[in-house]
Every structure is written in C-alpha cells, then in structure tokens.
Amino acid sequence: MSTGPVPKPIAGPSNFIDERIGAGTFLKRNLRKVFPDHWSFLLGEIALYSFIILLLTGTFLTFFFKPSMGHTVYEGSYDALKGVTMSEAYASSLHISFDIRGGLLMRQMHHWAALLFTAGMMVHALRVFFTGAYRKPRELNWLIGVLLLTLALLEGLTGYSLPDDLLSGAGLRITEGVAISLPLVGTWITFFLFGGEYPGEDVISRFYSLHILLIPGILLALITAHMILMWVQKHTQMPGKGRTNENVVGAPFYPAFMAKAGAYFMFTFGVIALLGTFAQINPIWLFGPYNPANISAGSQPDFYMGFLEGALRLMPAWEINLFGGSGGTLPMNVLIPALVPMGIIMTGLALYPFLEQWVTGDRREHHVVDRPRNNPHRTSIGMSAITFYGLLWLLGANDEIAAFFSVSLNWTTYVGRVLIFVGPFLAYVITYRTCLGLQRKDADIIGHGVESGVIKRLPSGEYIEVHVPPHPAIEALMRDKKPVPIIAGADSDDPDGDGIPSKGMRSPLGKLRAKMSKAYGGEKIALTDGHAHGHEEHAAVGSGEDDKPSLTH
Amino acid sequence: MNRITARRRHPLARYAVLLLALVLIGGFYTLVTAKSNERADAAIASGKADDVAEGKKLFELSCSSCHGLNAEGTKQGPTLVGVGAAAVDFQVSSGRMPMANPGPQAPRKQPAPWVNETTIRQLAAYVQSLGGGPAVPGNEQVDAALGDKAKGGELFRANCIQCHNFVGAGGALTQGKHAPPLHEATERQIYEAMITGPQAMPVFNDSIITPQQKRDMIAYIVGVRDEPNPGGAGLGRVGPVTEGLVAWIVGISLLILAAIWITAKKRQAQ
Ligand code: HEM
C-alpha cells in the first residue's frame, strides 16, 4: 500500500515526532493510508460530522438550558406567552430562542444536525447493506453501527423532550404509555423514570443526564471504536479495474483524502448552518408549555421516531384481560406496535450478516463489495424492509396526509393495515425482477457490446448499428460479478452420488438451510453467452479477472 | 324533628306546596318568554321589518331548495329555525352556504356573486325572525386588539387544538371530515364559529367561554397567524412532518450531491 515517496509535510513532522517519542513510522504509515473514492463512501461522514456539530451546539445550549420542571411565570420577550405559568425548562428554551444572542440559531442547528445525524446514519447503513460491505471481517463494525443507530434514536427522543413543550410532551406521554404497558415491571419502571405519578417532577432532569452525559458518552466511545475498526480493516471498495480483495485503490489519506474529508465537513457544516438559518424547526413557542390535559391535532415525533408512531396508529384496539381483568390487562395495542417493528428492524439488521453467512456458508473475507443487482435476494430483502419501515413512517403522518390530500382518515388506516403486509411482499418481487433484468442487461453488454449510435449500411443494403466494446472501467465493473455462494452439497440431494445426503443436511433445519441456500445463492443470469454455467463455476469464484474479454461481435 | 313532621301533616300543607310550585312555574315562564320576546324584538329592531321580508325572498331563491320554503328543513338540509343570525352570517360570509356539492362537509369557498353585507344581513334577519338564536356579534366584541393573547393562547390550547392544531393549521377528523385551518377566518367568523358550532365543531356558549375569553382567543389566533417566523421559513408550521421532509429532500440530497462532486475528480494512478 505504499504509494511513492513520502511527501515533505508528512516526513518533516513525523521525523520530529519520531525523534522524540518514536511514533513517526506510525504516522508515516497512517497518513499514507488509502481511501477509496466513490461518493457513497462519504455517507457515513454525514453522520460523523453532524455528531461533531451536535456536540458543539449542544454544549452551547447547556450553558443556558435549565433542566428543571419547577414552575415559573414567563416574563421574557415573546408576547403571546407573557404571564403564562410554565416549567423552567420551557422558559429557558424560550429564553434561548428569543433572548440569547445566536440562541435560536444554535437550537435550530442542533435540531437540524440531529435530523441529519440520524438520516446520515440510515443512508450510510443502507449503502453498507446493499453492497454487502458488512461481510467478514466487518461484522463487528456492522453491529456497532446498529447499536449506534439505536442509541441515536434514544438520544433524539431524550433531547426532543427536554424543552418540555406541548408537542414533545405528547411524545413523552407515549413513552410513558409504552413503559407502563410492559407486563409486570411496567408500573415500577414508570415510577422510576418519572419519579412518581406521571408527569412528576423528575423526568426532564433525568432525560437531561441521559441526553448530555450518558448517551453521548457511549456514542462517542462507539464512534471511536467504529473508526478504529474501519481504519484497521480498511475500507471496502467498489469492484473495478485493478481492485481485488488484497488491495485498496483510492487516494492516500494525506493530502488527497484529508482535503476531501475537510471539504466535506465544511459542506455538512454549511448545509446545517443554512438550514438552521433559513428553515424554522421545532418552533416551541407556538406549541405552548406542556400540560398533560392538552393534545394537538397533527402531533408527530421527529422523523426517526415516525415508524413507531405509524405502528401505533395502525394497530387495532386489542387488549387481553387476564382472568377477566382481575389479573391485569395486557394492552397489545401498545405493546405490539412499540416493540415488534423496532424489534424486527433492529434485530433483523443485527443478525443479517450472520444469517447470510449461515445460509451461504461463505466464511471468506470480502473487501470488494457487491453491486446490489448481483445479489438479488439480499437487495430484495433490503427493499422490502425499507418498504415496511417507510410505510410505517408514512402512516405516522396519516392525519397530515388525510388533511392535505382531503381523503378520509379512517381509510388511510384501513389501507395501511393491508399495505403493511402486501407492500413489503410486492417490493420483494419487483426488486428481484429488476435485479435479474439488470443482470441480463450486463450480460447483454458483455456479450454484444454497447450501441454506438453509428449506423452502417452493408453492401447488401442492410442497415446495422455498430456495437462497440464497453469502456474498460465499466467492463471491469461488470466482469467482477461472482455468483452468490451456496453451501457445499446444497444444490443436489446427493452430492457424492452415494445415495446419502451429506451429514449436516439430514435434520429438518439442515434441509431448510440447504433449500434456502439454493434459493439465495447461485448464478441467476450468467454473464457471458455460451459460457457454461454449471457447478464448476462456483468453485472458480474469484478467478474472473483472468478471463480475456471475449467480444464476439 | 317531630315538629317538622307534624307541620308536614298539617291540612294546609298541600295547598302551600301547590302554591309554591305555581309561583315557581309562573316565574320561570315569564322569564323565558320575556327573553325570547326580547330576542324577537331585537331581531326586528336590528334587522328591520323590510330586511326580514327581503331576506325571505333571497332565502326562497337560494336556500329553500335544501332548507325548505320556511326553513323547516328537507332531506337535503337541516332546519334553520333557531340557528340564529350568527350561523347564517358565518355560513354565508365564509362561502359555505349556499352549499355547492354534497360532501362530508361544506368547505369554505369564494362566496356567491350576490353575497354582500346587505344580503347577508337580510338573510340573517329572516332566519333570526324564525326562532331566535345567537345574534351576530358587534365589532367591539370581536376586536382582537382588546384581547389578551397570552390568556387566549391558554384557552385555545385547552379547547381548540385537538382539532385545529397548535397554530391553527387544521387537522383531519374521522370519515373525511376535517377541522379547517384558521388562516382565513375573520375575527367575526371566529367568534361566530364558537357560538354556533358549525358541523362537527362543538358549541362554545357564553357559559363555557365568556365573551371576554372569546376575544382573548381571537387575539391569540389572529396574533399568532400574523406573527413572522423568527427561525426562517415556517415550513407550513405543521411540525416534524415537513421538517423531516426538508431534512431528507434538502439536507441529505445536497450532501449527496456534494459527495458526488467531491469524489468526481479522481487521482489518476501513475
Ligand atoms: C448525538 C446526538 C444528539 C442528538 C440526536 C440530539 C438531539 C436533540 C434534539 C432533537 C433536541 C431538541 C432540540 C430543540 O429544542 O429543537 C435536543 C436538545 C438539546 N440537546 Fe441534544 N442531541 C444530541 C447531542 C447533544 C449533546 C452532545 C449535547 C450537550 C453536550 C446536547 C444538548 C442538548 C440540550 C441542552 C438540549 C435542550 C435545549 C433546547 O432545546 O433549547 N445534545 N437535542
């Protein structure tokens, strides 16, 4: 991975440091580290830089924010609330918004950064998922990522509740509802969290400690671990010319990547500052102070909580009364939507790399990522998960949708209840077909070349369009396709021809595994015409580079 | 104890009770009739007799097809006896009546060309003459400048936002009905909406919310909707839904474009 002579700006300081503490070679090595330069590798950085901005703006907010639910009468400069009794937390958030110089900008930047932080994580995770970059040896980093996402949701929820306004109070109320509906421990947990009967006097200060101390601390530690692992394991890279599982092609950290990363930080900062300046977010003064007796139409949480809200709205009222009510009530209408979708999505994310490994039996290291079309089942599973999540998210805003498009609110719920089952299934089928179609197109280009737009007239009078070979870079990208592995012996009942299925495949679980492996893996559309696609091909995984381009036309 | 029981058994006791009951009923009756007479008098005084006559003509022309020739109601529309001048003023000035096409609810629209202050007053006078009901409030009663915004805000949050949203952005109700945004309603219409309770909206009569409190709420609604957004573009003021859309459509898209742009220039391997 050494890339030419070490430039002077690195050599100088690292010699200086080397002579004092003997760490120069470490610097030398690491500053020349190579980063791939495909745009999708920058997505994670949106989250990273947003986090830095969250730390900075959040610290500013802590200077002025009072995490107390003590009562006070507002006497600040916002007219429409003068003389209204409210909590200190709310009053101090108003104070930040109206009477602290730059306070509103900081609050708004903090909130926009929070949205971009979670959104950035999501697009980053999707990139990793669809390209299979979570495969060995990066499963651990994937798990850290899932944990980060979960914690970010929690961090957002606690931060959102801090200003103690009427809108965030609605979210707090739901949190309480979920906590109290947990069987056996529910009451205990709620009393612990709220310091007594809801809303109590304690929850804001408890959320405050969680929001500015505990969760950011864990986030910071996990992000550091994430970065270190990424550094040690190096980036994956898109398939292409000269890119193998043994190298990384791209720009060295210093100076090229550092310049790019620095520029990208500035971009993120700029976008957040622009949004914070020109787009109003969470106008708490319009919502009024929290009062458990009031609730507004159109109460929604921040977008990253939207899927939980949607699940809650979708769920029919279903309760189980144990022993005719004397044994307590299991409010399934709260428990299921609060726990099941979150469980499906987060557990599914966490387990996917291991499930895939189990199904494909693929335990090799992967540093070159897949193009999404080349692993159609994975891509389809991802798309149906997105559909599931997206539908819930959309339905969390069903009242806004009903009001905006003048449709019946009830019907959005009825249709949603059907779509939530049918949608993911349709997404699966459509994505699968699309992937195969794209693979076929690739095979076609490899086989016949691309249309050049040049029409030639043959001596016989016939017109033909001249096909030319694709650009070498594109061809290399296409030729990198490898079949998804299948566990040994899964594609026939009797691999050794001795009439006995191999050992692992005799149990029902083994049979299921073999079946899934066969469906999931294998070559769906062979890349080249006339190229035998038998089982030998599977053994020859990774030898694609040696084939000479065989353009027959 | 014993003495009371004894008196109850006195032969004159039943006459005394009867007398008391009669006095009570009579007093109540005079009170009630006086009140409704007063109303009718007021209607005739404020609307003048010709207004009622003119109003009846207008009514027969534009409204009777649904509400019946004597406003007694038909299958197409409810009776208007007793809804009061305020209801007519609200419904007609906001363009809801005459209703155009049947639907879950009559929406606000551009009023018909013949609608103006005079015709509304005449229609209102006619309907008022039929059976009384809440009268059109006076200018001072609805003047936002005389209300207390902050108090109004508290009342508004306690009584109205579950349907109309914190900032009066409106919201969906069941079965295709909706509480409309409060961006267009005039001060007087806001007052009238409260005292007449159009369609799915409850009536907030003066014993629930006093006239002074109504004026406070008008001050709040009008004050907040005219207030600039200190934080930049208001994004429809509907809260996190549009904020989330902006975060994705503006924020994430811009950053992805930036990423593509930054990585577009590749170092050529030598
Ligand atoms: C790391 C991810 C973080 C996320 C997702 C996040 C999210 C949020 C959100 C959504 C709010 C509500 C903002 C509003 O009022 O509009 C908030 C408020 C707040 N956050 Fe954070 N935050 C994060 C980190 C931090 C950190 C590191 C600090 C402090 C060092 C902090 C301090 C605060 C304070 C003091 C408030 C309340 C101030 C106010 O709303 O006026 N946050 N946070």
Side-chain angles (χ1 to χ4, degrees):
Chain A
M1 252 196 327
S2 67
T3 24
V6 180
K8 216 162 158 217
I10 294 182
S14 57
N15 277 344
F16 175 88
I17 293 169
D18 200 17
E19 283 158 20
R20 320 285 126 126
I21 54 175
T25 47
F26 173 81
L27 276 185
K28 236 181 253 173
R29 194 152 35 88
N30 283 298
L31 286 175
R32 296 300 284 161
K33 191 158 195 82
V34 171
F35 281 77
D37 40 21
H38 186 271
W39 63 269
S40 66
F41 287 81
L42 286 180
L43 294 178
E45 265 150 72
I46 299 178
L48 180 64
Y49 303 143
S50 302
F51 183 67
I52 296 173
I53 294 167
L54 279 168
L55 288 179
L56 296 176
T57 51
T59 308
F60 178 93
L61 294 177
T62 58
F63 295 155
F64 307 102
F65 180 75
K66 295 200 188 76
S68 148
M69 293 173 91
H71 294 288
T72 176
V73 174
Y74 182 68
E75 291 303 340
S77 56
Y78 182 64
D79 239 15
L81 286 171
K82 265 204 186 119
V84 172
T85 309
M86 56 181 64
S87 68
E88 300 236 27
Y90 185 63
S92 68
S93 304
L94 289 175
H95 186 63
I96 294 174
S97 307
F98 291 106
D99 300 302
I100 304 269
R101 186 158 305 174
L104 182 57
L105 179 66
M106 286 297 152
R107 263 198 63 233
Q108 299 207 130
M109 280 179 66
H110 191 71
H111 206 136
W112 281 118
L115 297 196
L116 288 188
F117 178 57
T118 35
M121 269 190 181
M122 287 176 185
V123 285
H124 168 63
L126 288 179
R127 193 279 288 175
V128 171
F129 180 83
F130 282 115
T131 58
Y134 54 76
R135 287 173 299 176
K136 193 177 169 189
R138 295 181 179 77
E139 305 100 315
L140 264 186
N141 231 7
W142 170 259
L143 284 182
I144 293 181
V146 176
L147 216 57
L148 277 169
L149 189 59
T150 319
L151 282 172
L153 299 189
L154 220 64
E155 176 74 349
L157 177 76
T158 50
Y160 192 70
S161 302
L162 290 182
D164 202 21
D165 58 292
L166 191 49
L167 180 56
S168 70
L172 201 59
R173 186 54 149 175
I174 295 179
T175 314
E176 187 241 9
V178 171
I180 208 164
S181 64
L182 294 172
L184 301 179
V185 291
T187 322
W188 188 83
I189 288 183
T190 348
F191 270 65
F192 176 70
L193 185 63
F194 291 90
E197 201 66 65
Y198 180 86
E201 298 272 300
D202 294 336
V203 66
I204 295 291
S205 49
R206 294 207 170 138
F207 272 19
Y208 189 61
S209 314
L210 293 179
H211 184 76
I212 72 159
L213 203 68
L214 187 65
I215 307 177
I218 305 177
L219 277 175
L220 195 60
L222 286 177
I223 290 177
T224 314
H226 200 69
M227 296 287 100
I228 291 177
L229 269 181
M230 185 272 293
W231 198 280
V232 170
Q233 296 173 337
K234 302 169 193 72
H235 266 298
T236 52
Q237 55 187 338
M238 286 292 173
K241 196 162 160 244
R243 298 178 181 181
T244 68
N245 269 327
E246 280 75 50
N247 69 4
V248 185
V249 177
F253 181 73
Y254 183 91
F257 190 77
M258 211 158 95
K260 287 186 179 187
Y264 204 56
F265 175 72
M266 291 301 168
F267 265 113
T268 314
F269 189 79
V271 167
I272 289 173
L274 279 178
L275 284 172
T277 313
F278 293 113
Q280 179 164 292
I281 189 165
N282 205 16
I284 50 168
W285 54 92
L286 294 176
F287 303 150
Y290 183 51
N291 173 347
N294 301 347
I295 178 90
S296 170
S299 292
Q300 258 91 18
D302 265 359
F303 88 81
Y304 42 83
M305 286 292 174
F307 74 110
L308 293 176
E309 174 85 18
L312 209 54
R313 291 180 184 208
L314 213 55
M315 185 69 194
W318 176 29
E319 286 180 353
I320 298 177
N321 287 310
L322 302 173
F323 311 112
S326 55
T329 302
L330 278 184
M332 301 313 247
N333 46 353
V334 179
L335 278 178
I336 291 181
L339 305 179
V340 172
M342 181 92 154
I344 292 180
I345 291 168
M346 291 302 176
T347 323
L349 278 175
L351 292 186
Y352 197 83
F354 305 100
L355 286 177
E356 186 179 62
Q357 237 172 55
W358 183 71
V359 166
T360 58
D362 182 4
R363 297 216 158 60
R364 294 164 306 160
E365 292 208 349
H366 291 276
H367 299 289
V368 175
V369 299
D370 287 332
R371 298 173 79 204
R373 68 186 65 171
N374 289 343
N375 193 330
H377 280 291
R378 176 202 292 147
T379 307
S380 308
I381 289 172
M383 286 308 285
S384 58
I386 290 182
T387 312
F388 178 69
Y389 180 92
L391 277 171
L392 287 179
W393 180 10
L394 195 71
L395 289 163
N398 66 345
D399 57 339
E400 300 289 353
I401 292 171
F404 191 77
F405 296 104
S406 304
V407 292
S408 160
L409 182 66
N410 304 52
W411 276 101
T412 58
T413 308
Y414 302 147
V415 171
R417 282 179 189 159
V418 176
L419 274 185
I420 200 63
F421 295 105
V422 177
F425 175 75
L426 279 183
Y428 195 99
V429 174
I430 294 172
T431 313
Y432 191 75
R433 293 282 139 208
T434 312
C435 285
L436 291 198
L438 288 171
Q439 284 194 26
R440 218 166 268 132
K441 192 175 128 236
D442 286 356
D444 211 45
I445 289 177
I446 295 294
H448 304 277
V450 285
E451 295 169 356
S452 63
V454 177
I455 308 286
K456 216 158 103 181
R457 190 173 176 198
L458 298 184
S460 61
E462 184 191 357
Y463 288 95
I464 58 160
E465 181 168 12
V466 178
H467 284 230
V468 295
H471 186 279
I474 293 176
E475 189 181 344
L477 184 67
M478 288 175 180
R479 283 193 179 278
D480 194 76
K481 179 182 177 195
K482 300 174 187 82
V484 180
I486 295 182
I487 48 175
D491 28 2
S492 67
D493 292 337
D494 179 18
D496 335 322
D498 56 4
I500 307 164
S502 45
K503 239 206 241 138
M505 259 158 268
R506 280 177 219 148
S507 63
L509 190 66
K511 280 193 189 124
L512 177 73
R513 181 179 173 207
K515 250 201 193 127
M516 282 168 66
S517 188
K518 213 167 125 185
Y520 191 90
E523 184 75 298
K524 312 286 181 209
I525 308 283
L527 198 54
T528 34
D529 283 351
H531 205 297
H533 67 116
H535 306 307
E536 316 82 71
E537 179 106 339
H538 298 155
V541 166
S543 62
E545 266 92 64
D546 329 359
D547 300 22
K548 283 273 157 309
S550 57
L551 277 176
T552 38
H553 299 263
Chain B
M1 204 49 172
N2 249 335
R3 242 195 290 156
I4 297 174
T5 334
R7 277 191 193 168
R8 262 205 282 172
R9 303 232 164 100
H10 195 275
L12 287 183
R14 72 181 74 161
Y15 299 105
V17 169
L18 204 67
L19 198 70
L20 194 72
L22 278 173
V23 168
L24 275 178
I25 290 172
F28 186 69
Y29 183 78
T30 32
L31 262 175
V32 168
T33 46
K35 220 172 175 188
S36 63
N37 280 341
E38 214 172 81
R39 259 201 217 126
D41 289 348
I44 291 165
S46 72
K48 286 181 233 117
D50 356 329
D51 271 1
V52 174
E54 287 299 314
K56 187 167 167 57
K57 273 188 225 152
L58 278 170
F59 190 87
E60 281 165 3
L61 208 66
S62 319
C63 322
S64 58
S65 57
C66 298
H67 290 292
L69 275 173
N70 297 307
E72 73 280 14
T74 68
K75 266 193 212 129
Q76 272 80 42
T79 172
L80 299 184
V81 175
V83 301
V88 175
D89 188 59
F90 173 80
Q91 299 280 348
V92 180
S93 70
S94 67
R96 288 183 168 79
M97 292 292 145
M99 198 169 155
N101 17 29
Q105 88 190 34
R108 168 180 278 275
K109 61 179 188 298
Q110 185 65 34
W114 54 265
V115 172
N116 56 40
E117 260 184 48
T118 319
T119 48
I120 294 178
R121 195 187 62 230
Q122 290 164 343
L123 272 173
Y126 168 65
V127 170
Q128 185 82 355
S129 75
L130 296 175
V136 177
N139 284 340
E140 198 185 314
Q141 237 174 323
V142 302
D143 189 354
L146 300 176
D148 179 336
K149 260 202 270 189
K151 282 203 187 112
E154 293 200 275
L155 287 162
F156 185 69
R157 284 190 287 278
N159 293 293
C160 319
I161 62 172
Q162 70 269 40
C163 299
H164 286 289
N165 174 294
F166 315 95
V167 291
L173 303 177
T174 52
Q175 305 297 2
K177 295 199 221 60
H178 66 280
L182 302 181
H183 306 323
E184 289 174 61
T186 62
E187 294 172 358
R188 190 196 293 174
Q189 285 166 352
I190 298 174
Y191 196 100
E192 289 168 344
M194 286 191 263
I195 56 177
T196 64
Q199 293 164 78
M201 176 162 159
V203 176
F204 295 89
N205 62 31
D206 289 354
S207 57
I208 300 176
I209 293 179
T210 65
Q212 175 56 42
Q213 289 177 324
K214 291 200 172 91
R215 194 156 58 185
D216 293 343
M217 286 159 83
I218 294 173
Y220 179 77
I221 296 170
V222 174
V224 164
R225 77 180 177 198
D226 294 343
E227 167 186 303
N229 289 313
L235 309 184
R237 286 188 174 174
V238 292
V241 174
T242 44
E243 290 161 11
L245 281 178
V246 169
W248 281 87
I249 294 174
V250 178
I252 292 293
S253 309
L254 275 181
L255 285 172
I256 287 181
L257 284 180
I260 292 174
W261 186 58
I262 282 184
T263 50
K265 251 184 114 77
K266 296 218 162 56
R267 259 167 61 114
Q268 291 306 314
Q270 286 113 16

